[in-house]
């Protein structure tokens, strides 16, 4: 008797109609097998003999089973503070940082725990079971850091939370910035951050990356820097990050987030940079919702999109993921923490719109984001791995993104943690009987 059997799922890459069963025990997949004939076998039920008995059976009815969504970039310390103490009227990154500095002064541990937990609940309901959150450590009290360390522990049975020591106001430009990042490493963050384009000088920007890499290596941590998040084509810290990642050995354990200036570089420099990035093995994270909103604010027309070069960097063999970045905070007033919206908008914004490219956008919120977090064998649908997955009533990744399909089931370590019944729209077309519409093209 095993804990859970999921009967009749479609796995990515399988030919149409080939269904599988997922067998789960003690929180891990024990086998992924061709679907057993006959109806689902519940404990004590009358299923066929070859199918092992399970305490719980989910009849997937041909739903697409995917590893869970992975959120590679969000700011849970600031989430749900939009409008506090004032709204970001200009819509720039810089006014957002100023609004946040005011709000940061009023933070309490309970306030951070309450907001972060609320958004993690939304994320899990959307099928996200791995989250990398930045937390601003340019606060001598480290209030948000201590709160999120507690949240990380409280939620660990459901969602795997990685924390990045993010020096929002700079490592060199903020008094004691380097000591605060070091202290965050000692208190137990998973990843070291930086923000070189915000430092007062180019030299401080370079120095801040050197400090961040040194702390990461010394503590055995990963690195994820906000890097070149500005419409200034002169902002060129990605080359520094990639080179330090190569020389320090961090490589794929390092990530350059945002890199929006890449959308403004000339072609000659972009080609040079793509080679440096590819050789280094670093990851990129593009945040299409937020950078479409923040960037280009000072442009007349034509207005830049303000995103990194996603299509070109993917083609150069660089791992790129999509992140949400913000959910209702000083930098972005919208959002529900749903990665399918990120993939959908990302497809448009980066012009990844052929069927294969739309499927790639799905990978950028699942497998590619998992690689950013370094999840390795702790991610994916295969025997021995954690039984964490989503069922999507869709034919595959392209269909999920096109129709913005919600997961019907979210399973974390073998436990059903969220379920969504299908929503049905009934069309009453003149002269026809009332009929359901699901936006699937069948002819
Ligand atoms: N801080 C920053 O520097 N950049 C961002 N996109 C956000 C916070 C959300
Ligand atoms: Fe960010």
């Amino acid at each position: 008797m095993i804990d859970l059997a999921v009967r009749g799922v479609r796995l990515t890459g399988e030919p149409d109609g080939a269904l599988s069963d997922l067998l789960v025990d003690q929180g891990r997949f024990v086998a992924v097998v061709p679907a057993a004939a006959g109806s689902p076998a519940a404990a004590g039920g009358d299923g066929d003999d070859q199918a092992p008995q399970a305490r719980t059976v989910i009849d997937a009815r041909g739903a697409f089973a995917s590893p869970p969504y992975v959120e590679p970039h969000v700011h849970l310390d600031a989430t749900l503070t939009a409008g506090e103490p004032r709204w970001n009227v200009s819509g720039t990154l810089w006014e957002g940082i100023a609004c946040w500095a005011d709000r940061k002064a009023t933070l309490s541990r309970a306030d951070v725990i309450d907001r972060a937990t609320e958004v993690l609940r939304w994320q899990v309901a959307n099928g996200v079971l791995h989250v990398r959150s930045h937390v601003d450590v340019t606060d001598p009290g480290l209030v948000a850091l201590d709160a999120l360390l507690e949240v990380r522990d409280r939620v660990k049975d459901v969602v795997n939370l990685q924390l990045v020591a993010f020096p929002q106001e700079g490592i060199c430009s903020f008094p004691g910035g380097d000591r605060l990042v070091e202290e965050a490493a000692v208190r137990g963050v998973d990843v070291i951050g930086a923000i070189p384009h915000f430092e007062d000088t180019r030299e401080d920007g370079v120095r801040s990356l050197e400090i961040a890499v040194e702390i990461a290596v010394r503590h055995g941590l990963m690195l994820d820097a906000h890097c070149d998040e500005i419409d200034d084509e002169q902002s060129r810290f990605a080359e520094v990050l990639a080179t330090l990642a190569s020389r320090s050995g961090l490589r794929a354990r390092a990530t350059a987030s945002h890199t929006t200036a890449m959308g403004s570089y000339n072609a000659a420099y972009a080609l040079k940079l793509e080679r440096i990035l590819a050789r280094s093995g670093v990851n990129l994270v593009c945040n299409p919702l937020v950078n479409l909103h923040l960037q280009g604010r000072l442009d007349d027309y034509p207005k830049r999109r303000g995103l990194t070069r996603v299509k070109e960097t993917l083609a150069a063999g660089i791992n790129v993921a999509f992140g949400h970045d913000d959910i209702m905070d000083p930098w972005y007033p919208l959002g529900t923490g749903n990665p399918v919206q990120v993939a959908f908008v990302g497809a448009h914004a980066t012009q990844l719109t052929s069927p294969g490219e739309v499927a790639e956008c799905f990978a950028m919120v699942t497998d590619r984001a998992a690689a950013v977090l370094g999840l390795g064998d702790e991610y994916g649908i295969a025997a021995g791995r954690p039984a964490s997955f989503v069922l999507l009533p869709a034919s595959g990744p392209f269909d999920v993104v096109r129709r913005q399909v919600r997961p019907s089931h979210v399973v974390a370590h073998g436990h059903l943690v969220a379920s969504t019944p299908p929503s049905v729209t009934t069309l009453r077309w003149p002269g026809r009987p009332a009929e359901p519409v699901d936006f699937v093209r069948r002819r």
Side-chain angles (χ1 to χ4, degrees):
M1 179 77 72
I2 59 170
D3 289 340
L4 170 67
V6 186
R7 303 286 185 208
V9 304
R10 196 186 306 263
L11 294 170
T12 189
E14 286 202 359
D16 269 3
L19 299 182
S20 301
D21 290 348
L22 310 178
L23 308 180
V24 172
D25 201 40
Q26 298 190 11
R28 293 198 173 248
F29 292 112
V30 290
V32 179
V33 296
S39 55
D46 54 7
D48 73 45
D49 297 339
Q50 18 165 327
Q53 297 268 298
R55 279 179 203 91
T56 304
V57 173
I58 296 173
D59 181 2
R61 301 173 197 277
F64 166 50
S66 169
Y69 291 114
V70 177
E71 176 52 71
H73 190 120
V74 70
H75 296 256
L76 290 179
D77 53 347
T79 197
L80 307 184
T81 64
E84 298 171 6
R86 59 198 162 87
W87 290 93
N88 178 348
V89 178
S90 66
T92 59
L93 170 65
W94 304 87
E95 186 174 345
I97 294 173
C99 292
W100 169 241
D102 291 349
R103 181 60 173 82
K104 187 164 57 174
T106 70
L107 287 179
S108 72
R109 183 186 185 88
D111 163 40
V112 176
I113 290 175
D114 175 54
R115 289 181 290 98
T117 305
E118 180 70 6
V119 168
L120 284 163
R121 289 162 54 89
W122 295 358
Q123 291 177 307
V124 169
N126 285 323
V128 181
L129 296 179
H130 299 272
V131 175
R132 174 178 284 183
S133 176
H134 297 257
V135 48
D136 184 359
V137 296
T138 47
D139 159 23
L142 294 175
V143 174
L145 174 69
D146 285 343
L148 283 178
L149 286 166
E150 180 171 340
V151 170
R152 183 180 70 182
D153 190 56
R154 281 194 199 178
V155 301
K156 67 177 185 308
D157 290 342
V158 177
V159 46
N160 164 38
L161 177 59
Q162 281 186 0
L163 297 176
V164 186
F166 173 49
Q168 174 70 80
E169 297 183 58
I171 289 178
C172 299
S173 307
F174 188 80
D178 54 346
R179 280 185 281 108
L180 289 164
V181 174
E182 173 73 30
E183 177 61 22
V186 170
R187 292 194 194 184
V189 294
D190 308 277
V191 188
I192 298 298
I195 184 164
H197 56 277
F198 184 86
E199 303 283 356
D200 290 339
T201 66
R202 154 96 202 164
E203 289 70 22
D204 277 358
V206 174
R207 181 85 194 109
S208 73
L209 285 173
E210 289 168 350
I211 292 169
V213 167
E214 190 276 321
I215 294 174
V217 169
R218 188 155 39 77
H219 289 271
L221 302 175
M222 292 179 278
L223 180 96
D224 189 337
H226 282 62
C227 192
D228 301 319
E229 188 187 11
I230 187 167
D231 292 326
D232 173 12
E233 77 287 355
Q234 308 275 335
S235 184
R236 294 187 173 184
F237 293 106
E239 63 180 26
V240 180
L241 188 157
T243 302
L244 291 171
S246 290
R247 292 179 186 165
S248 66
L250 277 175
R251 298 195 163 275
R253 289 166 54 77
T255 296
S257 282
H258 296 287
T259 60
T260 62
M262 276 186 82
S264 296
Y265 294 156
N266 66 69
Y269 179 64
L271 187 67
K272 172 191 169 180
L273 179 60
E274 280 160 21
R275 179 171 162 275
I276 297 170
L277 291 171
R279 249 186 358 197
S280 73
V282 300
N283 309 281
L284 300 182
V285 174
C286 168
N287 299 300
L289 300 176
V290 169
N291 287 124
L292 281 175
H293 153 76
L294 292 176
Q295 307 307 130
R297 290 279 177 171
L298 305 177
D299 285 2
D300 196 348
Y301 291 92
K303 238 184 224 302
R304 282 170 287 181
R305 292 174 185 226
L307 296 186
T308 193
R309 298 186 182 213
V310 173
K311 192 179 287 215
E312 296 76 8
T313 48
L314 283 172
I318 297 159
N319 183 48
V320 189
F322 279 147
H324 201 304
D325 203 13
D326 304 281
I327 297 146
M328 298 171 71
D329 72 11
W331 297 277
Y332 187 65
L334 309 173
T336 60
N338 184 355
V340 180
Q341 292 181 349
V342 178
F344 186 83
V345 173
H348 294 73
T350 63
Q351 297 184 329
L352 286 170
T353 45
S354 73
E357 288 170 338
V358 174
E360 191 70 89
C361 291
F362 182 82
M364 289 166 71
V365 292
T366 51
D367 294 345
R368 288 185 174 280
V372 170
L373 270 67
L375 298 180
D377 289 348
E378 290 299 289
Y379 185 81
I381 297 179
R385 299 190 185 197
S388 298
F389 60 92
V390 292
L391 296 183
L392 295 153
S395 60
F398 177 92
D399 192 27
V400 172
V401 175
R402 183 180 71 84
R403 289 191 294 130
Q404 303 278 281
V405 175
R406 292 191 64 76
S408 61
H409 300 75
V410 182
V411 175
H413 301 286
H415 296 286
L416 180 66
V417 292
S419 56
T420 307
S423 79
V424 179
T425 299
T426 301
L427 181 68
R428 294 182 177 76
W429 192 262
R432 288 179 63 107
E435 56 192 344
V437 176
D438 60 7
F439 307 98
V440 175
R441 171 109 172 129
R442 294 203 166 74
R443 274 165 294 133

